[in-house]
Each structure stands twice: as C-alpha cells, then as structure tokens.
C-alpha cells in the first residue's frame, strides 16, 4: 500500500509556505552543478521549471514530443491567468482567491496547496510582465483585468484571446536563454515511453526519438513530469490532438499513484460537434461570458427558428435566471450542467438540439462592434473560420465539451509523487483544483509550479541525495525498461489488423462521453467497465499499425497513446463508480438535490482517491488521503 504523506507544513495557513521555504534544506551553488535533472514537457509548467532550475545552476535535460516547445498545448490557452493583485480595488485578496478556488473545486482540494497558489499568483504576473509578456493594459498604464467564472471580482490578466501563447513565448525565451547558456539540453521530437525506478526512486526515463525511431536511456538525480492533461481519453475534446497520457500512465504503472482520475472538466462554451469524422472540438473562451449572454428559446417549438426570429420575451437567459448572483459567469461545471438540462428539455438550438446561444447583441449595443472586436476579435475570427457565421451578426451556438482534467499523478505539498525523486507539475498533477477548476487557474498553477514552487522543493529533496550518486544507464532497471519499450513497439507493429488506431480511439471516446461524461450513473459506469476491456481486447487483436519502428511513424505514436487511453479510461470509470457522491465535474445522477445541484457526501468522500497499480489484469488499489478543512467551512456551493 502506498504511503501518502501530504507533508503539509505545520503552522497557520497563511504562514505555511513562507516558513516551509525558510526551513527547507539548500544545495550550495557548487553542488547544484553536479545534479542532473530530467524535465519532461515544455508547456508552461515544464518550460518555466526547466528554465528556472537551469538558472539556479542544475544541469537540465528537457524532453518534448513536439518539434518545438512552442507547440505545447499551453499555446492554445485563450482567456487569461488569475492573480490576486486587486488592481481593480474591487475587494480581491489572496484570501479571496484561495477561498474562490477551494469553493470552486467543491471542497475537494488541499487547503495548504491552494493557499500557496493564491500567494504566488502575484509573483507570476510580475515575472511575466518583466519578461515582456504583452498583457492588456488600462488607459492609466496598469495591467487590465476581466472576470472569469466562479468569482465576483475581476482578477484575470490577459493578452487578447492569446494569453497562453504570450505566456509560453515568455517561458520559451527564458528556456532558450538557458539552452544557449548550456544549462538546458533540449530534446525535441523525443517521447518518454517509460520511467526507470531504481531502489524505489525515480532515476531516469526511456525515450523514443520520433524521427529515427532510436530508443535511448537517460539517468538523472530527479525526474520532473510536466506532460499536461489526459482529456483526449474522450477522443473529442478542446485539447490539442497530440495531448496524451502516456508519460503519467507509464509512471503509474511503475508505482506512482494516480489521484482522482474521474474529475474531468467539461467546458460550457465550445463549438458543438458536427459529425463522426471530426478530430477535435474548439473552445470559445470563458472570457466571452463577460459580455455574451447565454440563452435558449423558452418554447421547444422555437428551437429551430433563427435566433433573430425569437423575440426577447420568448428567450430564457437560464443562467441569469437560475444563478442571479453569478449569472453568465457561473462556474464551468454548473454552467455545463445547466446547458445539458435545457437541451434535455428539448429546447436546445440547431439541428442536433445540442446547442445554446451565446449572444453579443447587448454587448454590441453597449460597446459598439469595434469595442467587442477589440476585446474578442480573434475568438470571433476562430468562430467564423469554423462555422462560416459572423457572431457580430448572429449569436454563437455553443455546447459543453471536455476541456481539462483535474485528476493526475498524486503529489505531496512539495509536488513530489509517492515515488521519491519523481515530481509532477502543471496539469499532469492533481494538486490544486479539487473536483472543478475555475477558469484562468490552470496557467496560474502551471507557472506557480514551475517558476515558484519546484525551484525550492526540489532542493530540499536533492540535499538528501549524494551529488553524483545517480545510477549508470547500464543498471539492470534501465535495461529492463528499455526492453519493455522495445517489446511494446514490436507488439503493436506485429498485430497487422484491419482497423486504424483512430477507429478504437473514436469508440473509446463515445463510451467515455456517453457513460462517464457530464452525467454518470452506477449502471452506466458498470456498462463502461465491461465495454472498455472488450474494446481493449479488440484493439490488441485487430489494430493496424502500418510502417516500421525505426523511422518516423505517426500511426505507431498514436497507437501507443491510444493503448494507454484504453487502460486509463477504465480506471477513470472505476474511480467515478466508487465515488458515490456528486462533486464539481463529477456528477452522479443518483446524488443530486431536487434542483439538480451536486450532493456531496463529506462524511464518506472528503478525501483524495489515489489509485495504485497492482499488476496487469489486477484491480488497482484505492488509497485515500483525507482532506482536512481548517480555514474554510465545507458547505453546499451556492452561486445563486
Ligand atoms: C483551448 C484551451 C484554452 C485554454 N485556456 C485557458 C486559459 O485561458 N486560462 C487557463 O488558466 N487555462 C486555460 N486552458 C488550460 C491550460 O491551457 C492547460 O491546462 C495548461 O496550458 C497545461 O500546461 P502544461 O504545461 O501542464 O501542459 P502542456 O502545455 O500540455 O504541455 C505538455 C508538454 O509535455 C510534453 N509531453 C507530453 N507527453 C510527453 C511524453 N510522453 N514525452 C515527451 N514529452 C511529452 C509536450 O510535448 C508538451 O511540451 C485552456 C485549455 C484549452 C484546451
């Protein structure tokens, strides 16, 4: 059974991080040069970590499967990044950001982690502004803010609808500086396919060069995974097509616990699915809900009319009606379920009936078309590119879609997994968002982890490891892990079945969305737990992976990733089945209040579920870490 010690420092909540930093062990500058660190991933979390650790003097090897760190999925982030700067004087504070995040996560995250996140949020903005990130500014020169869901203050910093791209350019510049200075060795188009554990500690990785097919071993004093989220287990999602779970899944199979895999975020404002051959879905940023108003016709018979034909009196602005305090800025889980409810009632817009309107008519009257264009122009362009409709003239049609995974590898307060020496950052860990992430908090967490947390906590760990004590890559554990990878590649190529990889991914996605999506039931999850292993069996009999292993082979890459999704999907459903409550993004139909809101069971489920691999074909072990609330009283979330 895994040891899950959260290592939350003692003392008052607001002092914990400061005191912990003061108490942690240090590595002297001359010794830092003797440690080699592996960072897998160079999205916001990985690039910020690799750059900062190299600036500190560590030798860093940074691996990405992309052809450049600039292609990490972080680049897609549109809306913004939260920070408790209170530039608006609208009552924000570190405490309020902490409180909103805990409440937004439906009381399923750790108080101490979330408080630290709120504290360092202010440093992130300073650091990024100093790097030259072109945040929007007010007329007086201060950085501008807008609102995101689940908050009544404006604390979201943004760079039009391209915040992730601009932040990533900042982190990439910092990383490039260190590549140039020799502190970071960058390996692009290099996919980590196994974690190497020696004597119970993470000591290295096995990597496949995606261009030559070459397989190599890399040893280190510590391994950091910053490999993003696993939402593509649903096939259709707002993630970049390449985002995958392979790094965390293979680490799980080497002993790292996977926490709360069922906590999936379904974002309310995405362009609806249009057909079976679609490969991804597109987000329409939550920032649009600052000015756009969401509605459906009051009467079912109006749902196929053009929106202009539905008079004002016949429109149901259901979020404003149901949640008057937060209105269109209700948190994502709540806004998504409300959209599902009105569509299930038969009032959904469009042919499929799976759509609601996001209407800028009022905003255009108030701000003028130019004003709306200035705030959201690129998002309107994206919408036009995909639908061939102008949202300046007619409301956008949107529907919820998979967008983020709150679950991930379990980490303690120091961001170390239960495997000593394995650290996990950004979306790949489970740390801060509980059962529902608030908008604009993922970028904040990724950069907090990379710029401000890991540089301290990794030193505390390394100080306990003798410099230069990392094993040689000739150690038997490296040999075994490499054979494991070679065996998997050979096995996939040898099947020579009839169906392409995408066939299985689509079918898995359908099972996941229908049985473990926005609403989950015991019967549905039990059905999924039968269908997924059967589909996995079919995959291993009948998948067709053309080409060879010793060359660029994208079918082979995606086959490995889908093989992992076919296992992870099962764990996700098992986690959803065993969590007999509703909380945040995890909505079990059996557990709801009469008005359809989530009914938590704090007595039985106020804990993290951290799953431990027990071997192929064996049921994984469900470990728990209790969640203790001292500063915040657990209550029923109310956004009314
Ligand atoms: C469309 C969209 C818009 C969003 N907008 C916002 C927003 O406005 N605000 C906000 O806070 N959040 C937003 N998010 C969420 C946020 O963008 C992500 O959670 C965040 O960027 C994840 O960053 P990361 O560094 O953890 O991972 P990623 O950016 O996904 O980076 C993962 C890295 O790991 C590498 N990698 C992965 N697996 C391997 C492997 N096996 N071997 C080698 N390398 C590997 C990849 O190459 C990549 O470099 C949005 C998400 C989407 C989908």
């Amino acid at each position: 059974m895994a040891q899950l010690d959260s290592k939350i420092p003692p003392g008052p909540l607001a002092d914990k991080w400061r005191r912990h930093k003061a108490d942690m062990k240090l590595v002297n500058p001359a010794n830092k040069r003797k440690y080699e660190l592996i960072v897998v991933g160079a999205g916001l979390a990985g690039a910020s970590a690799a750059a900062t650790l190299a600036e500190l003097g560590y030798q860093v090897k940074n691996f990405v499967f992309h052809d450049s760190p600039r292609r990490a999925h972080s680049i897609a982030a549109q809306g913004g990044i939260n920070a408790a700067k209170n530039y608006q004087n609208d009552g924000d504070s570190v405490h309020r950001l902490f409180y909103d995040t805990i409440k937004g996560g439906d009381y399923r995250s750790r108080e101490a982690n979330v408080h630290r996140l709120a504290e360092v949020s202010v440093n992130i903005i300073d650091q990024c502004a100093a790097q030259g990130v072109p945040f929007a500014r007010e007329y007086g020169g201060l950085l501008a803010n807008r609102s995101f869901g689940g908050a009544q203050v404006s604390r979201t910093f943004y760079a039009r609808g391209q915040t992730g791209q601009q932040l990533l350019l900042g982190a990439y510049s910092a990383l490039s500086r260190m590549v140039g200075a020799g502190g970071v060795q960058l390996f692009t188009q290099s996919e980590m396919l196994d974690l190497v554990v020696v004597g119970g500690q993470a000591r290295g990785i096995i990597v496949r060069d995606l261009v030559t097919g070459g397989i190599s071993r890399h040893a280190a004093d510590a391994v950091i995974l910053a490999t993003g989220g696993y939402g593509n287990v649903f096939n259709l999602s707002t993630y970049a097509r390449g985002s995958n779970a392979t790094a965390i899944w293979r680490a799980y199979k080497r002993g790292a616990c996977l926490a709360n895999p069922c906590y999936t975020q379904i974002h309310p404002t995405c362009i609806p699915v249009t057909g079976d051959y679609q490969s991804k879905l597109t987000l329409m940023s939550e920032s649009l809900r600052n000015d756009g108003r969401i509605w459906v016709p009051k009467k079912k018979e109006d749902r196929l009319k053009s929106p202009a034909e539905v008079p004002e009196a016949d429109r149901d602005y259901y979020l404003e009606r149901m949640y008057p305090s937060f209105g269109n800025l209700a948190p994502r889980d709540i806004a998504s379920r409300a959209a599902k409810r009105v569509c299930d009632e038969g009032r959904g817009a469009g042919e499929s009936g799976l759509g609601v309107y996001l209407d800028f008519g009022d905003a255009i009257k108030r701000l003028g078309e130019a004003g709306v264009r200035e705030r959201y122009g690129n998002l309107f362009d994206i919408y036009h590119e995909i639908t061939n409709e102008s949202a300046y003239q007619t409301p956008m049609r949107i529907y919820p879609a998979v967008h983020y995974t709150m679950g991930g590898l379990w980490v303690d307060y120091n961001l170390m997994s239960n495997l000593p020496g394995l650290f996990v950052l950004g979306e790949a860990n489970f740390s801060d968002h509980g059962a529902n992430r608030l908008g604009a908090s993922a970028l904040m967490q990724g950069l907090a982890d990379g710029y401000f947390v890991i540089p301290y906590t990794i030193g505390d760990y390394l100080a306990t490891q003798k410099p230069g004590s990392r094993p040689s890559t000739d150690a038997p554990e490296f040999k075994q892990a490499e054979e494991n990878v070679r065996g998997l590649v050979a096995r996939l190529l040898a099947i020579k079945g009839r169906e392409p990889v995408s066939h299985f991914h689509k079918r898995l996605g359908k099972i996941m969305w229908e049985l473990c999506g926005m609403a989950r039931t015991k019967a549905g999850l039990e059905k999924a737990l039968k269908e997924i292993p059967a589909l996995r069996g079919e995959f291993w009999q009948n998948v067709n992976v053309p080409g060879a292993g010793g060359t660029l082979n994208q079918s082979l890459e995606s086959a490995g990733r889908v093989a992992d999704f076919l296992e992870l999907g099962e764990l996700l459903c098992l986690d959803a089945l065993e969590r007999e409550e509703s909380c945040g993004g995890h909505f079990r139909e059996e557990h709801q209040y009469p008005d359809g809101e989530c009914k938590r069971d704090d007595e039985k489920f106020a804990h993290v579920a951290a799953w431990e691999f027990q071997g192929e074909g064996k049921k994984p072990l469900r470990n728990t870490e209790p969640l203790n609330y001292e500063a915040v009283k657990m209550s029923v979330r109310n956004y009314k």
Side-chain angles (χ1 to χ4, degrees), residues 40-46 63-66 72-74 76-80 190-192 226-228 238-239 244 247 283 403-404 426-427 437 440-443:
V40 187
L44 283 174
F63 297 85
V64 295
F65 73 76
H66 287 100
H73 164 65
S74 290
Q78 300 170 349
S190 300
E191 184 167 31
M192 167 195 159
T227 49
T238 63
Y239 283 77
N244 68 84
L283 175 76
H403 177 68
Y404 183 86
E427 195 174 338
R437 174 176 72 77
S441 288
L443 303 184

Side-chain angles (χ1 to χ4, degrees), residues 407-450:
L409 289 181
W410 183 90
V411 286
D412 64 16
Y413 186 74
N414 296 319
L415 303 182
M416 187 159 85
S417 75
N418 57 302
L419 276 182
L422 178 68
F423 293 79
V424 192
L425 317 184
E427 195 174 338
N429 74 26
F430 89 109
S431 68
D432 294 355
H433 307 293
N436 172 59
R437 174 176 72 77
L438 291 184
S441 288
L443 303 184
M444 171 172 70
Q445 183 224 325
L447 291 179
D449 289 359

Side-chain angles (χ1 to χ4, degrees), residues 186-201:
L186 183 62
F187 297 80
T188 54
Q189 292 182 292
S190 300
E191 184 167 31
M192 167 195 159
L193 291 181
D194 210 346
L195 178 74
V196 183
V197 179
V198 181
Q201 285 173 282

Side-chain angles (χ1 to χ4, degrees), residues 39-48 62-82 146 148 156-157 161-164 167-168 187 189-194 205-208 210 225-229 237-240 242-248 250 265 267 280-287 332 402-405 425-429 433 437-447 449 561:
V39 178
V40 187
L44 283 174
S48 58
N62 191 192
F63 297 85
V64 295
F65 73 76
H66 287 100
D67 50 8
S68 157
R70 287 175 52 186
R71 295 181 74 95
H73 164 65
S74 290
I75 206 160
Q78 300 170 349
I81 174 167
N82 287 331
R146 56 190 175 197
F148 262 57
T156 305
F157 294 77
Q162 312 164 346
T163 315
L167 291 172
L168 192 60
F187 297 80
Q189 292 182 292
S190 300
E191 184 167 31
M192 167 195 159
L193 291 181
D194 210 346
I205 61 173
I206 305 296
V207 171
R208 180 169 179 271
L210 298 181
L225 299 186
T227 49
S237 79
T238 63
Y239 283 77
S243 294
N244 68 84
T246 287
I248 63 163
R250 307 224 175 153
Q265 175 154 91
H267 197 298
K280 84 176 288 302
L281 297 174
T282 305
L283 175 76
M284 287 288 101
S285 165
E286 182 161 311
S287 59
R332 293 174 177 177
V402 171
H403 177 68
Y404 183 86
T405 47
L425 317 184
E427 195 174 338
N429 74 26
H433 307 293
R437 174 176 72 77
L438 291 184
S441 288
L443 303 184
M444 171 172 70
Q445 183 224 325
L447 291 179
D449 289 359
R561 295 169 191 169

